[in-house]
Amino acid sequence: MIAQQSEDLRRIVRELAREGKRFDGRAPDQHRPVRLEVGVLSNADGSALVAYGDTVVVAAVYGPREVHPRHLALPDRAILRVRYHMAPFSTPDERKRPEPTRREIEISKVIREALEPVVLLEQFPRTSIDVFIEVLQADGSTRVASITAASLALADAGVPMRDLVVGVSVGKIENLIIVDLNRVEDGYGDGDMPIAFMCRRGLITLLQADGQWSPDEVRQAIDMAYRAAGDIYRQMRDVLKGKYIESVRALSQ
Amino acid sequence: MIAQQSEDLRRIVRELAREGKRFDGRAPDQHRPVRLEVGVLSNADGSALVAYGDTVVVAAVYGPREVHPRHLALPDRAILRVRYHMAPFSTPDERKRPEPTRREIEISKVIREALEPVVLLEQFPRTSIDVFIEVLQADGSTRVASITAASLALADAGVPMRDLVVGVSVGKIENLIIVDLNRVEDGYGDGDMPIAFMCRRGLITLLQADGQWSPDEVRQAIDMAYRAAGDIYRQMRDVLKGKYIESVRALSQ
Amino acid sequence: MIAQQSEDLRRIVRELAREGKRFDGRAPDQHRPVRLEVGVLSNADGSALVAYGDTVVVAAVYGPREVHPRHLALPDRAILRVRYHMAPFSTPDERKRPEPTRREIEISKVIREALEPVVLLEQFPRTSIDVFIEVLQADGSTRVASITAASLALADAGVPMRDLVVGVSVGKIENLIIVDLNRVEDGYGDGDMPIAFMCRRGLITLLQADGQWSPDEVRQAIDMAYRAAGDIYRQMRDVLKGKYIESVRALSQ
Amino acid sequence: MSNLSITQQPEILPQLRRESIRRIVEQGQRADGRAHLEFRNIDIIVNPVKTADGSAIVKLGNTVVIAGVKTSIGVPYPDTPDEGALIVNLETPPLASPEIEPGPPDENAIEIARVVDRTIRHSGFIDFKSLCIVPGKYAYILWVDIYVLNHDGNVIDAACMAAVSALSATKLPKAIIEQDQAKLIRDEKIELKVDKSKLPLTITFIKVCNSLLVDPTLEEENVSDAKITIGVSEGKIVSIQKTTGAFDRDDIVSIISKSVELYSKLRDVVLSKISSESYSYIRI
Amino acid sequence: MSNLSITQQPEILPQLRRESIRRIVEQGQRADGRAHLEFRNIDIIVNPVKTADGSAIVKLGNTVVIAGVKTSIGVPYPDTPDEGALIVNLETPPLASPEIEPGPPDENAIEIARVVDRTIRHSGFIDFKSLCIVPGKYAYILWVDIYVLNHDGNVIDAACMAAVSALSATKLPKAIIEQDQAKLIRDEKIELKVDKSKLPLTITFIKVCNSLLVDPTLEEENVSDAKITIGVSEGKIVSIQKTTGAFDRDDIVSIISKSVELYSKLRDVVLSKISSESYSYIRI
Amino acid sequence: MSNLSITQQPEILPQLRRESIRRIVEQGQRADGRAHLEFRNIDIIVNPVKTADGSAIVKLGNTVVIAGVKTSIGVPYPDTPDEGALIVNLETPPLASPEIEPGPPDENAIEIARVVDRTIRHSGFIDFKSLCIVPGKYAYILWVDIYVLNHDGNVIDAACMAAVSALSATKLPKAIIEQDQAKLIRDEKIELKVDKSKLPLTITFIKVCNSLLVDPTLEEENVSDAKITIGVSEGKIVSIQKTTGAFDRDDIVSIISKSVELYSKLRDVVLSKISSESYSYIRI
């Protein structure tokens, strides 16, 4: 891109932050409008579309089902298989090549590890529960939106879970801690911290960070994320309650 | 290569076509001399070399034999495995890289689907019948020559078939419909239509096209191809009768 | 690199050779100081570090153990699996890409074939004995140092062997035959001949050559290599005797 | 990867269901109540993807595909120094169907992408010369990436529809030359020149018990005896791809003429959907 | 390769051993006699590899890793035209453990390399601007290749230590411009500018029966309930990577403050090891 | 792919056949009636492939290989700025044998290609300096692609023969410089300079029951105790590659002298075949 332009944008974003403001007018602790839909794909056992502002992801769940090849199966529980992938047209500027990048491989892993603590894998030994995520439009916070979508799709599929996992990102620009980063804030900020919570139990199942954070800022960030996650969690329950009370029996355990 | 030269060639080819003529002097419905040989490779269960003019392909058949890995086997019939590949030195100008291209992958598929309707796969459940094709010299019409070669190799291997499949291409230059395109006609023409026939039954098992064709031209093209295929079919029968009456019992069913 | 510099170096190396001398002051039949250590890696069943001057390799042996996938197992003996790999930082100048090169694939094969004649594979049917070699610093003769390391690691693992295999390279610069080439001699010489001996029996299990050699020079080279190998063999026995008399029972058969 | 094409494991469809579908066809009807030559309901969302230069979501019954166009700059091919390039890629990510494992495009995906590519290329829909920036040096490359989100049969027709809808709505980033280097200014956009009268579309036919059906569902594909796809543009045939089974000459003649008839109606449907200029966002 | 992350087969650890390790932890101790927040013995060999521009071997108990730095010239990224680049790669060759098959880096290796990369990148340890040769045209690329030679747990902390030790000792080949082309003169070396006060290190915690332990052995990793890695530089958190299990908020707060405390001690140990200028050679 | 070399599954040869082949050898004969140091019948077709710049088909008994040379332009290696390059590739497509699955070249194919490459390179057969177009900037690259069409043993000697026969017959497309860019004019050809007196050939020996045999059939290879290939050019040894088994010093000395003796005869056979200037076409 034109280096000058992006330099200008960076300056504006950072100047606003020094005044406690954000480029898109949100308050620091205000997440973008969230759109949640379940059952959007007829073939999948469960599916969901999640939008955090202009970030849009779709998730599908298949399973519990037979494992191929069989030697990957575990005798005492299900395996979880997770794939996070970005469509080539989902990023601004250059086309993203469709082959999995190192970034996508890492994110697939941390999403799997964010979901494993909630799924009752031990109920389905020797099977596989598969979560496939496609990012269709990326405006920051794609991995945490993906976790929320995966959670909804698992619930939509009737997979028993201990809790719903909700993903939220926090960031830092010029000492301002902000929630639910968009792409500009991610690109020109000083730190990014994606977090996922088991909301009812308050447990953290995904936590990553880059940038520079004081211990106190880490604490603030986690607490700000938890409040936003709680808000999204209530919307998730509404969406699931509307149509799926039956299948999410695990939620009311 | 030199843009001017190929531009000249294109003009000549197209001017000739407007007069109903072809660059190599053939009549529009005249295919190139065909050379057919069977049993050319001692290791294969069946093999054939086919030349359509300067296009030369060799095909080998192995099987019916055990399937590896086993889970690919079908309980009620044989699977057909087909590979179409061009040798790096088979094309003019640049060396072709030996790795399979998207084009080769597509052609392997349509050749398989051109052969499946004739091979009596149901006679050999749980086995594989393998057809390997190598293009040694390419002067247009390689996929249809490959189908003819595969047919001969299958017959040479004694694989029971409902019919022989014969491949022929048709093309269009400046409204002139021509049969058995060579590379220049393929490159500078307005349309290309590779076709394969089960000759005795008159069924079409491969049909592709690009370019622009009116419905009437499609009809003309199919009919012109069918006449050429019949001619090649008679040569195939001669070659097979000479040495292989025994093994091609399926032909006389 | 700077073409002039390397040209100068080449001239010097070759002029010295015409006087019967070597760039690093060694006599033609003098190998570099050899450093041998066994049991250097705690996870492996056997391991060794071998340095020929500034060439340093480490080898690990796992097995005999179960074969994956099982269809590779042999009913009457163990299979040997060998991997020779160069670390990206082990070469001067450019970083070596970590993906296996055609050279590494060839060397893995010839090392396997250099070891197979000595390992008593028939004692462990249906298992695999794995030899993994990493070149950490390369100054010529890496494949022969790797064979020596593999031999030591196999003995360290207690794998029964008919003999110890020792690797040595010989080279030729301006008609001077020299032993244990370093990188400069390899790069600017006229021929390279890596050799491996079963030292007690005097059998040759690796022999490669490039360059130009008269039949008589080949003979001289083999004999010079054999003397150097005998010297290294004695050091290997010392290292193994120190701690491993028990496990190398096969040596004293 | 080796280019070995292997007879595909048919999806397991209970024998009763199989026979029922075929019997209904023999009676001149279809399992979902359509006429033999009737398409499923078509829904097209145009330009839902803000990060793409052009995009479309197409729903053909329960089959859902999304296509996105991205632009880059490349060197023209030596034999067409004054033309840009089109690259069509299709992927069936594993969320589309229980049958699909993750991996690079298989022969089915590659075939569909190539047929869609040929159909567009030979139709004259895109003015490739308008994609030239500096003859022989710089030209636009149009990357059309098609993702199948739900596979319920006839992906190819849905994919072609999505590709042409996305291209119809594509705006190219402006290209500038700076110090002899071409660059794209992604904030300034110019419309991609397409000739909508030549809108290319594919129409897929299956043969079931000697009847010809268009727009097959996945179940119908699985019980069909043969399948063929015809690419049409303004009354011309611009591509043909027979896949499974065999057809006789008269089948083909009939399919060709039916495809030309159906094309006009289908084009009108598509054009009306893509010309509605309402605000759009990603929904499935 | 497909980026499919699959629940990993746990290493088979006998149930008795498993319970024993956990019981010892519950009693406030560890199987190898360490305190919960005590690292294993650390040994660092600096610049043992003559063919590298910088290198280090780190032994953390029985875990052994080697890191080597190689330099090349590349074009700066458009958004940082005056900076060089760092590329971190980690491989676990099959000699490191009986569990590893040869192949390209798997998700574990990729994750570790990326966390080490982020930890170094955000610490300010490297002055990326000092790696620029000609702004917008040429810059140094630092390739840090980390090889695990023996895997006995906590590879990530050992890998980070090895990477920063190797970078601390790195000398760049001089870059010259000849006929508008940049070249490296490998005989003339200049020191890589690093800010040792910002030495970045990771500290990995596992949770076992509600206790927090640092620097886990492989056995401890296999019986742990959760695992997290904190990257620290000069009292700042520069990376976090939770891997397995779940933590509550108070765990995290406690881990963060413990990691800052432990960092100071660990940095002193590392700095003292890497500043000893003795002759070094490759030994394990 | 991982460079893991694995003990190869021997082809299943009935025990009786195995013993019979070995017994015949012990009696000083061979299963196909040849003497121990006798090659099978050699047939060479020169320049059968019109699309190649040079080509040859070699039949060595039932072993059939085809080699084709294609030319391109590349940048010379920095250490040999005034020389062109040779790249040898060998593939065993699955039509060559029931044992071969499709895929990229395996270790056997790679080894043969590399030995053929070394044999040619060190013989002085090709004048690499004559392949330079503009020193340091442009040079010819000779791609030699060898395809095995039928594998009945001793592929390496057949491959080397095919490669040198194809190179002997190679005509390079003329190179021109246009606007500082090198281009090939494929219609205008100049002969590749080769020194036929140095014609490099490999001679492969197997050891069976202490006898040395040349040009083994596949069956003989499968019952052999050891195998070695010697590359010879004008009385000089230019390559050696021991593959399976072990040899003692005296074996090697004997093999070396036998290979030099056999070389002269073999070269005469090859030269006479390739100098017959008759019209040729692809036949097997």
Side-chain angles (χ1 to χ4, degrees), chain D residues 178-250:
Chain D
E178 253 185 29
Q179 296 174 322
D180 217 40
Q181 290 286 344
K183 282 186 188 175
L184 293 179
I185 311 290
R186 295 204 184 261
D187 300 341
E188 295 180 47
K189 300 270 189 162
I190 50 173
E191 220 144 307
L192 172 66
K193 272 195 194 167
V194 296
D195 182 347
K196 286 186 184 169
S197 67
K198 292 179 173 165
L199 193 88
L201 295 168
T202 60
I203 299 174
T204 294
F205 295 79
I206 58 168
K207 196 171 165 182
V208 179
C209 309
N210 288 313
S211 295
L212 295 171
L213 279 62
V214 297
D215 184 24
T217 63
L218 190 56
E219 275 193 342
E220 288 172 338
E221 286 183 357
N222 284 331
V223 304
S224 70
D225 302 314
K227 191 167 78 155
I228 192 168
T229 296
I230 313 295
V232 190
S233 161
E234 229 189 358
K236 291 277 186 184
I237 307 304
V238 292
S239 74
I240 303 177
Q241 187 85 345
K242 185 238 119 187
T243 49
T244 57
F247 291 93
D248 65 27
R249 179 196 178 278
D250 293 345

Side-chain angles (χ1 to χ4, degrees), chain B residues 118-138:
Chain B
V118 296
V119 180
L120 295 169
L121 297 169
E122 55 279 16
Q123 293 194 3
F124 306 97
R126 307 209 155 276
T127 69
S128 169
I129 298 170
D130 298 346
V131 180
F132 302 125
I133 299 156
E134 204 67 40
V135 177
L136 299 179
Q137 191 171 270

Side-chain angles (χ1 to χ4, degrees), chain F residues 107-170:
Chain F
E107 62 176 29
N108 297 301
I110 287 171
E111 181 183 47
I112 296 175
R114 286 176 58 86
V115 173
V116 169
D117 179 303
R118 292 198 285 264
T119 304
I120 296 172
R121 189 177 301 279
H122 297 293
S123 67
F125 177 61
I126 293 175
D127 178 3
F128 284 98
K129 293 204 194 301
S130 75
L131 298 175
C132 181
I133 300 168
V134 177
K137 287 195 69 174
Y138 299 118
Y140 285 102
I141 301 173
L142 299 177
W143 298 87
V144 179
D145 282 285
I146 307 167
Y147 275 69
V148 183
L149 298 181
N150 203 65
H151 184 343
D152 189 29
N154 200 15
V155 162
I156 190 165
D157 292 359
C160 187
M161 239 178 257
V164 299
S165 300
L167 286 165
S168 295
T170 291

Side-chain angles (χ1 to χ4, degrees), chain D residues 5-218:
Chain D
S5 176
I6 303 179
T7 300
Q8 289 166 27
Q9 185 91 38
E11 280 193 61
I12 300 118
L13 206 62
Q15 190 60 24
L16 272 176
R17 178 70 186 150
R18 206 182 162 74
E19 282 163 13
S20 145
I21 296 170
R22 292 177 65 95
R23 200 170 44 242
I24 297 172
V25 169
E26 282 188 295
Q27 293 160 357
Q29 301 177 312
R30 291 171 82 166
D32 58 6
R34 280 185 288 159
H36 283 188
L37 297 182
E38 186 182 347
F39 267 70
R40 286 173 288 183
N41 190 50
I42 297 169
D43 189 11
I44 303 178
I45 306 167
V46 179
N47 262 352
V49 183
K50 293 183 182 176
T51 46
D53 296 323
S55 64
I57 294 171
V58 166
K59 300 186 214 175
L60 196 55
N62 281 327
T63 289
V64 184
V65 307
I66 181 168
V69 179
K70 292 291 272 186
T71 312
S72 69
I73 293 177
V75 179
Y77 295 113
D79 51 339
T80 52
D82 57 347
E83 297 188 1
L86 172 73
I87 299 175
V88 178
N89 181 50
L90 181 135
E91 308 236 350
T92 44
L95 46 57
S97 149
E99 308 294 318
I100 298 165
E101 277 291 300
D106 66 3
E107 62 176 29
N108 297 301
I110 288 171
E111 181 183 47
I112 295 175
R114 287 176 58 85
V115 173
V116 170
D117 179 304
R118 292 197 287 264
T119 305
I120 296 172
R121 188 176 301 280
H122 296 293
S123 67
F125 177 61
I126 293 175
D127 177 5
F128 282 98
K129 292 205 194 303
S130 75
L131 297 176
C132 182
I133 300 168
V134 178
K137 288 195 71 174
Y138 298 119
Y140 285 103
I141 301 174
L142 298 176
W143 297 87
V144 179
D145 281 285
I146 307 167
Y147 275 68
V148 183
L149 298 182
N150 203 65
H151 184 344
D152 188 30
N154 201 17
V155 162
I156 190 165
D157 292 359
C160 188
M161 238 178 257
V164 299
S165 300
L167 287 165
S168 294
T170 291
K171 288 182 172 46
L172 303 172
K174 197 180 153 189
I176 57 160
I177 310 290
E178 253 185 29
Q179 296 174 322
D180 217 40
Q181 290 286 344
K183 282 186 188 175
L184 293 179
I185 311 290
R186 295 204 184 261
D187 300 341
E188 295 180 47
K189 300 270 189 162
I190 50 173
E191 220 144 307
L192 172 66
K193 272 195 194 167
V194 296
D195 182 347
K196 286 186 184 169
S197 67
K198 292 179 173 165
L199 193 88
L201 295 168
T202 60
I203 299 174
T204 294
F205 295 79
I206 58 168
K207 196 171 165 182
V208 179
C209 309
N210 288 313
S211 295
L212 295 171
L213 279 62
V214 297
D215 184 24
T217 63
L218 190 56

Side-chain angles (χ1 to χ4, degrees), chain B residues 89-198:
Chain B
F89 47 76
S90 67
T91 55
D93 308 333
E94 290 294 293
R95 170 186 188 250
K96 185 209 157 277
R97 297 190 54 189
E99 296 78 20
T101 59
R102 287 163 65 92
R103 176 182 170 276
E104 285 170 305
I105 290 167
E106 182 195 344
I107 292 179
S108 295
K109 178 179 186 285
V110 295
I111 293 178
R112 175 175 58 76
E113 291 172 330
L115 298 172
E116 276 174 353
V118 296
V119 180
L120 295 169
L121 297 169
E122 55 279 16
Q123 293 194 3
F124 306 97
R126 307 209 155 276
T127 69
S128 169
I129 298 170
D130 298 346
V131 180
F132 302 125
I133 299 156
E134 204 67 40
V135 177
L136 299 179
Q137 191 171 270
D139 187 24
S141 305
T142 61
R143 84 188 67 183
V144 287
S146 295
I147 288 172
T148 300
S151 243
L152 282 175
L154 283 163
D156 183 37
V159 171
M161 292 188 285
R162 293 184 177 82
D163 201 342
L164 284 177
V165 184
V166 186
V168 174
S169 69
V170 205
K172 186 184 150 186
I173 309 184
E174 299 273 359
N175 299 317
L176 183 70
I177 310 287
I178 55 176
V179 79
D180 186 25
L181 305 200
N182 61 27
R183 169 168 286 267
V184 168
E185 293 171 331
D186 188 11
Y188 301 138
D190 302 310
D192 174 21
M193 193 182 297
I195 315 182
F197 295 95
M198 290 168 64

Side-chain angles (χ1 to χ4, degrees), chain B residues 12-252:
Chain B
I12 294 167
V13 168
R14 300 184 65 87
E15 269 172 21
L16 282 169
R18 279 198 293 274
E19 302 166 25
K21 290 181 189 160
R22 297 174 73 171
F23 188 67
D24 60 3
R26 279 187 283 159
D29 63 350
Q30 188 185 352
H31 64 76
R32 290 171 290 181
V34 165
R35 181 157 60 98
L36 308 173
E37 290 172 41
V38 290
V40 293
L41 303 175
S42 65
N43 281 340
D45 295 319
S47 60
L49 181 149
V50 166
Y52 284 12
D54 278 343
T55 287
V56 184
V57 306
V58 56
V61 167
Y62 287 93
R65 60 180 178 180
E66 230 181 299
V67 181
H68 283 291
R70 282 199 203 147
H71 71 85
L72 293 175
L74 296 180
D76 56 343
R77 58 200 163 101
I79 58 169
L80 203 60
R81 305 197 310 161
V82 174
R83 182 177 185 261
Y84 162 96
H85 182 256
M86 299 187 84
F89 47 76
S90 67
T91 55
D93 308 333
E94 290 294 293
R95 170 186 188 250
K96 185 209 157 277
R97 297 190 54 189
E99 296 78 20
T101 59
R102 287 163 65 92
R103 176 182 170 276
E104 285 170 305
I105 290 167
E106 182 195 344
I107 292 179
S108 295
K109 178 179 186 285
V110 295
I111 293 178
R112 175 175 58 76
E113 291 172 330
L115 298 172
E116 276 174 353
V118 296
V119 180
L120 295 169
L121 297 169
E122 55 279 16
Q123 293 194 3
F124 306 97
R126 307 209 155 276
T127 69
S128 169
I129 298 170
D130 298 346
V131 180
F132 302 125
I133 299 156
E134 204 67 40
V135 177
L136 299 179
Q137 191 171 270
D139 187 24
S141 305
T142 61
R143 84 188 67 183
V144 287
S146 295
I147 288 172
T148 300
S151 243
L152 282 175
L154 283 163
D156 183 37
V159 171
M161 292 188 285
R162 293 184 177 82
D163 201 342
L164 284 177
V165 184
V166 186
V168 174
S169 69
V170 205
K172 186 184 150 186
I173 309 184
E174 299 273 359
N175 299 317
L176 183 70
I177 310 287
I178 55 176
V179 79
D180 186 25
L181 305 200
N182 61 27
R183 169 168 286 267
V184 168
E185 293 171 331
D186 188 11
Y188 301 138
D190 302 310
D192 174 21
M193 193 182 297
I195 315 182
F197 295 95
M198 290 168 64
C199 270
R200 289 186 310 140
R201 306 192 176 202
L203 290 171
I204 292 168
T205 66
L206 177 130
L207 181 60
Q208 295 182 285
D210 62 17
Q212 289 214 350
W213 302 79
S214 70
D216 194 58
E217 285 169 340
V218 174
R219 239 169 285 137
Q220 278 181 58
I222 291 173
D223 293 342
M224 187 184 280
Y226 189 55
R227 286 190 299 272
D231 188 45
I232 296 167
Y233 173 69
R234 281 182 291 277
Q235 295 186 48
M236 289 166 77
R237 289 204 57 154
D238 288 350
V239 167
L240 290 171
K241 276 238 175 93
K243 305 184 203 157
Y244 301 92
I245 293 179
E246 189 64 18
S247 66
V248 295
R249 55 193 181 282
L251 289 173
S252 51

